[in-house]
Amino acid sequence: MSAAIRRPRRRATPQRQLAYAAAGLITAFMLFPLYLIAVAALQPRTAVFDYPRALYPSPFSIESMAFFLNATGILPALGRSLVIGVMTVVLALALGCPAGYAVARYRFAGRDLVQLLIVSVRAFPILILAIPLAVTFINWNLYDSVLSVALVHTVMALPLTILLAASVFLRVPSELEEAAMSMGTSRFGAVWRIVLPLSRQGLGAAALFAFVLSWNEVFAAAVLTVRNPTLPAQIVGALGQSPLPFRFAGGLALTLPALVFIFFMRPYLFSAFGQARS
Amino acid sequence: MAGITIESITKSFAGVTAVDNVSLTIEDGEFMVLLGPSGCGKTTLLRLIAGFDLPDSGRIAIGDRDVTDSPPGRRDIAMVFQSYALFPHLRVSDNIAFGLRMHHVGKDEVTSRVREAAELMGIEALLNRYPTQLSGGQRQRVAVARALVMRPSVILMDEPLSNLDALLRLQMRAELKHLLQDIKTTTVYVTHDQVEALSMGDRTAVMRDGAVLQCASPMEVYDRPGDIFVATFIGNPPMNIVRAVARDSVVKVEGVEVALPEASNLPAGTEVSIGIRAENIEVHTEALDGALPATVAVIEPLGSHLLLTLAVGAESIKASVRTDFAVKRGDPLWLELRQGSVRLLGSANQSGPSD
């Protein structure tokens, strides 16, 4: 909805240059290992053992990637991971938006306690949650299903989703809702027509976090699945017995979709970190 | 079109009483101004009428319909917010059309009514813009158009001019008054600006601490304030308040007897406060029978007139004189309080304005 974010041009003062240098260093620190994984994954399988390491894939080869993707169970696992990620996003937003709205707009008894409890979900190690959940899901006939993993990922994503949604809704002046209500809509209508459209960016960021969380989560996914693992669970399960090129290819396959997703959601990401919207 | 009846409305927030047992009747087509300092409850009263807040007790009716518990959308009201509250993601035309669409008005009628409201406010050229592309004055016009297009029974305005610069405010003030007189819709207008209150309203309700102190025509409120607070809140400069001692229909100010316009029933010797407007004081350069002897303390040229601050015994009195009045600091002058313009404002220990 908003026009491109315009930043005033500033002169490159020494402080700014220093800040850029620091940002560059941190970025390189994070990205270099990923880059090395990508290089290793895109080389012929034998080149993985070369020393010194190549800094670019030479010769370029999709042999490792093809081998990885053709391995038994990888493609279905990738599909399941995508489905679970999307389900997690949908469920987390469907539950997190109303909760976030309540925290943002209503003064109700026990509001502070609720906020504390929301965050405290993350205080439980997933280990403690996963075992009883596995038993419960077996009883419910949900074990080893896409839905069970998506439900657990939703629980893990909800605290951040709720807090992000609440902070995003707080940025919409309540006068806008009141104006809409005075013109004949219900509160729900005002939220639907005014608050949600104005919160797209922030909710997009919340969706991003939920997806990446689900995409990367391995422990709950490994405990709750046997024959139908997610991609990380599949890779972790196969890691011990697989050759090195397979591992690098797996690493790249895990990283790329998340990177692509983040790339497309990046304006939303910035808004979640409080960068001003125009 | 409908009047508003407010009966014994009380509303508190977290133990603080914002509106305290207020009753007010607003006639059909009347322009009622709620005036008071910040925190006096005027905006809360407006929000209670709008239905954004619900009263703890009391009753509100619009026309002959009890709306005490109705949601804002079922009260047949339209509100103009101080911040304008335009929807930033909708074009001006969609902002204006929003309420009509919520009421399932037909497409053709929406188009024609939006155009009509836009023409009334002179914003036809802006219909395709987004609110962020408008100036403050243009946003204000859109907000008013968005209210008018609903053809509501009641228009509520919460300090609609306070975000405009001084010149634009002056212009919009006259334009709004003209517009609202033409369409004859009952209007409740909240402001802390006494000039707006005096110039726009049919009646002004002066509020303080959640209560309506006085509700009367602007000239009545200005000329015959109900108490010291109203006297000093309205008018620039505020009304002079002077301590005096009562005796029949006469009060003694600093030893000089001053006639009251109407007989008071006060026992002789009661300490009272009297009020008199600066423009109702005749200033003489020579001693005069029944005039208060004074000394010039401050001279402020205000363009149209001079405002003098004068020491009368222990009292300080402001009086306005023509700009060609030759006077300098320390000059002795004699003040004649114009017949019939002295107001008795209760006993002297009554409190003045709180801020």
Side-chain angles (χ1 to χ4, degrees):
Chain A
M1 49 149 257
S2 58
I5 298 163
R6 259 177 244 140
R7 269 163 272 183
R9 283 188 186 205
R10 273 179 265 182
R11 260 182 300 156
T13 60
Q15 288 98 317
R16 285 188 68 74
Q17 285 171 342
L18 204 67
Y20 274 118
L25 265 176
I26 293 170
T27 311
F29 176 74
M30 305 296 239
L31 279 185
F32 195 58
L34 292 180
Y35 178 73
L36 286 183
I37 290 174
V39 169
L42 295 174
Q43 280 176 324
R45 288 160 74 176
T46 49
V48 170
F49 303 102
D50 286 355
Y51 192 86
R53 303 216 66 91
L55 283 178
Y56 51 93
S58 164
F60 182 83
S61 160
I62 58 163
E63 189 192 350
S64 295
M65 284 310 286
F67 169 68
F68 169 78
L69 290 175
N70 285 328
T72 321
I74 288 296
L75 275 180
L78 189 127
R80 277 191 294 275
S81 266
L82 284 175
V83 168
I84 289 170
V86 171
M87 283 173 79
T88 302
V89 167
V90 171
L91 286 172
L93 284 182
L95 296 172
C97 284
Y101 185 83
V103 170
R105 283 282 194 265
Y106 292 105
R107 300 278 162 276
F108 51 87
R111 180 170 165 274
D112 293 341
L113 183 68
V114 167
Q115 274 184 295
L116 188 68
L117 287 175
I118 288 170
V119 185
S120 69
V121 171
R122 294 311 302 266
F124 292 103
I126 195 65
L127 183 74
I128 294 182
L129 287 175
I131 309 293
L133 272 176
V135 176
T136 310
F137 284 144
I138 288 170
N139 290 338
W140 288 357
N141 252 337
L142 280 180
Y143 186 73
D144 203 15
S145 72
V146 168
L147 179 61
S148 66
V149 180
L151 283 176
V152 174
H153 286 178
T154 301
V155 169
M156 293 169 70
L158 261 180
L160 191 62
T161 310
I162 293 172
L163 295 183
L164 269 179
S167 76
V168 166
F169 291 152
L170 271 176
R171 275 192 244 161
V172 179
S174 50
E175 283 187 349
L176 294 187
E177 274 172 78
E178 288 172 351
M181 285 193 284
S182 74
M183 286 185 267
T185 58
S186 61
R187 183 173 278 274
F188 180 82
V191 171
W192 185 254
R193 287 166 203 280
I194 306 297
V195 180
L196 284 185
L198 290 174
S199 306
R200 276 208 327 245
Q201 295 216 342
L203 296 180
L208 175 79
F209 284 122
F211 183 84
V212 171
L213 179 144
S214 167
W215 182 264
N216 287 333
E217 200 283 328
V218 65
F219 187 84
V223 172
L224 293 175
T225 56
V226 179
R227 277 185 297 274
N228 300 311
T230 62
L231 188 59
Q234 173 85 17
I235 292 173
V236 166
L239 216 50
Q241 313 93 317
S242 46
L244 205 49
F246 180 90
R247 300 185 200 176
F248 283 124
L252 186 60
L254 270 179
T255 313
L256 266 187
L259 277 184
V260 169
F261 196 76
I262 292 174
F263 182 80
F264 283 112
M265 300 294 253
R266 106 196 157 276
Y268 305 112
L269 189 68
F270 291 142
S271 91
F273 290 141
Q275 194 177 67
R277 291 182 301 179
S278 60
Chain B
M1 301 285 142
I4 305 171
T5 313
I6 298 164
E7 281 174 23
S8 315
I9 282 286
T10 296
K11 174 75 182 175
S12 20
F13 296 102
V16 179
T17 307
V19 172
D20 190 3
N21 197 25
V22 166
S23 294
L24 199 61
T25 305
I26 300 161
E27 304 294 334
D28 183 13
E30 191 176 22
F31 194 127
M32 171 66 84
V33 177
L34 305 180
L35 174 69
S38 56
C40 72
K42 56 191 190 298
T43 294
T44 304
L45 185 57
L46 193 77
R47 292 175 55 85
L48 289 168
I49 299 172
F52 300 139
D53 296 316
L54 295 179
D56 300 333
S57 63
R59 215 178 67 85
I60 298 175
I62 294 177
D64 38 21
R65 226 157 43 88
D66 187 317
V67 296
T68 311
D69 299 312
S70 306
R74 300 236 185 86
R75 295 190 177 206
D76 200 13
I77 53 124
M79 177 112 170
V80 178
F81 291 84
Q82 183 173 9
S83 61
Y84 315 138
L86 301 180
F87 307 132
H89 61 304
L90 299 180
R91 291 177 194 277
V92 167
S93 55
D94 293 322
N95 261 284
I96 300 175
F98 187 90
L100 297 177
R101 294 197 178 126
M102 292 305 105
H103 283 87
H104 308 292
V105 173
K107 211 171 180 180
D108 294 342
E109 199 190 335
V110 170
T111 313
S112 70
R113 276 170 73 173
V114 166
R115 183 138 288 278
E116 187 189 331
E119 275 166 18
L120 203 56
M121 295 310 298
I123 49 170
E124 307 99 301
L126 310 175
L127 284 175
N128 280 321
R129 301 227 194 136
Y130 285 99
T132 47
Q133 300 168 309
L134 304 179
S135 69
Q138 290 170 332
R139 285 179 207 191
Q140 224 277 330
R141 287 168 183 278
V142 175
V144 175
R146 193 175 66 172
L148 294 180
V149 80
M150 301 303 295
R151 295 177 189 157
S153 295
V154 174
I155 293 182
L156 306 173
M157 297 191 168
D158 186 7
E159 311 224 12
L161 304 182
S162 62
N163 285 343
L164 301 179
D165 60 53
L167 198 64
L168 203 53
R169 193 181 313 160
L170 210 65
Q171 187 194 331
M172 273 311 280
R173 196 170 79 201
E175 196 175 326
L176 265 187
K177 177 167 185 173
H178 180 80
L179 188 75
L180 291 163
Q181 270 174 345
D182 274 358
I183 60 171
K184 296 186 181 63
T185 303
T186 312
T187 305
V188 185
Y189 186 105
V190 162
T191 183
H192 66 269
D193 181 344
Q194 41 117 0
V195 181
E196 271 176 34
L198 293 178
S199 64
M200 298 181 83
D202 293 324
R203 275 196 298 161
T204 299
V206 186
M207 293 186 68
R208 184 197 185 193
D209 296 339
V212 174
L213 301 178
Q214 187 176 11
C215 180
S217 73
M219 280 323 295
E220 174 92 8
V221 171
Y222 181 83
D223 194 42
R224 296 175 185 280
D227 65 8
I228 292 178
F229 175 79
V230 177
T232 51
F233 187 72
I234 292 179
N236 187 15
M239 199 175 225
N240 292 300
I241 307 294
V242 180
R243 271 166 301 175
V245 181
R247 188 165 64 76
D248 300 330
S249 59
V250 174
V251 289
K252 255 192 152 153
V253 181
E254 297 288 328
V256 179
E257 289 196 342
V258 176
L260 291 171
E262 56 262 322
S264 74
N265 297 322
L266 294 166
T270 312
E271 292 222 342
V272 294
S273 288
I274 59 160
I276 179 137
R277 293 274 174 205
E279 65 269 25
N280 289 329
I281 297 173
E282 207 85 60
V283 179
H284 300 278
T285 47
E286 278 150 35
L288 192 77
D289 213 26
L292 309 172
T295 315
V296 178
V298 184
I299 306 162
E300 294 169 85
L302 297 178
S304 60
H305 61 275
L306 297 182
L307 184 64
L308 305 181
T309 306
L310 303 139
V312 181
E315 305 280 358
S316 174
I317 291 181
K318 285 187 192 295
S320 48
V321 293
R322 292 169 46 144
T323 44
D324 55 5
F325 192 87
V327 68
K328 59 182 190 302
R329 196 160 171 260
D331 281 358
L333 293 173
W334 284 264
L335 310 181
E336 186 189 2
L337 310 187
R338 201 166 284 152
Q339 276 289 317
S341 58
V342 175
R343 307 289 168 234
L344 192 58
L345 292 168
S347 58
N349 57 6
Q350 225 171 326
S351 56
S354 58
D355 48 1

